[in-house]
Amino acid sequence: DPPHGFVAFRDALRAFVVGPLPAPLAGAVAGAAACRVRLAAGGPIEGFEPYEAALAAEVAAGRLRRRVDRTLPLAEAAAALVTQGALTVHAARRARLTAGASVAVFGPGLLGLLMLQVARASGATSVITVGRGSRLEMAKELGSTEVVDYEQGDPVAGVRAATGSRGVDVVFDCSGNPEVLAQAVGSTRRGGAVAVLGLTGGARAEVPVDAFALDELDLLGVRSSPNAYPAMISLLAAGAIRTDVLTADRYTLADVADAFTALERRTSI
């Protein structure tokens, strides 16, 4: 999704770059973030909203700069996750997460593993992560109180069993799988909320309308991270969010193809 990709690069640069970007870096960032977007000399920048296009031009020209507090104990690898983390902060705010809440996170990829930690930091005392394989062990290491392996059984039944049949207050769908929406609805208590963070690439999902109406559920879309960067940076600086296990694998730009292969094979986050 080029607009989302650019927003991620743009916001990371605004938070952490001081002074003009070197020309090679500016070009690499603009190219990687824009994907299919063409930066035509004197022409339009395709694929972005007008304000995003203006910022893309600033990135390409190397003029984007921002002063930051260099005293924050923030590792470079942790700083790289601020954008995704800020999205989860916004999701917690959208869902009005409160102290003592119960939460389920579907999809323990990078976004889901950050989401479960932000949910705990926001006061959730019960966090159930739904996924499969080794990432569930990682979820437990990062603070998930329960895990449900959907390859071993019905995920809705697993979440219901973990909550005494009640269901959770909030489900955060970070999976990007259109089939998960119905499962998220089935895992939510009456009066609860389902927040969707994961994108499906345009695929459609079936919505169980009766359940939404009869159980008075809220369906929330989470697109960006307005005013959430300071909170995420503070959480990282305070050590409330662990990133070490999320950034254990490092790749050079020359090995970027290997990085994408590892991601596709689920051997890396």
Side-chain angles (χ1 to χ4, degrees), residues 11-32:
D11 289 347
L13 286 170
R14 289 180 66 188
F16 297 107
V17 174
V18 177
L21 292 174
L25 178 59
V29 168

Side-chain angles (χ1 to χ4, degrees), residues 2-17 21 25 28-35 59 64 83 229:
H4 258 63
F6 175 73
V7 170
F9 276 81
R10 175 200 70 195
D11 289 347
L13 286 170
R14 289 180 66 188
F16 297 107
V17 174
L21 292 174
L25 178 59
V29 168
C35 300
V59 173
L64 197 60
T83 292
Y229 272 64

Side-chain angles (χ1 to χ4, degrees), residues 6 77 101 130 142 160 221 231:
F6 175 73
V130 181
L142 293 174
R160 290 282 177 176

Side-chain angles (χ1 to χ4, degrees), residues 139-183:
K140 287 193 289 187
E141 183 180 350
L142 293 174
S144 187
T145 55
E146 300 278 351
V147 295
V148 173
D149 189 334
Y150 66 76
E151 291 186 327
Q152 303 300 317
D154 176 26
V156 175
V159 173
R160 290 282 177 176
T163 57
S165 299
R166 176 177 181 269
V168 295
D169 298 316
V170 181
V171 172
F172 294 100
D173 178 7
C174 303
S175 69
N177 182 348
E179 296 180 4
V180 166
L181 183 57
Q183 299 171 0

Side-chain angles (χ1 to χ4, degrees), residues 25-63:
L25 178 59
V29 168
C35 300
R36 298 186 300 272
V37 178
R38 178 176 58 87
L39 294 175
I45 300 176
E46 301 170 353
F48 290 150
E49 298 295 331
Y51 73 94
E52 292 176 329
L55 283 164
E58 289 296 299
V59 173
R63 292 191 296 267

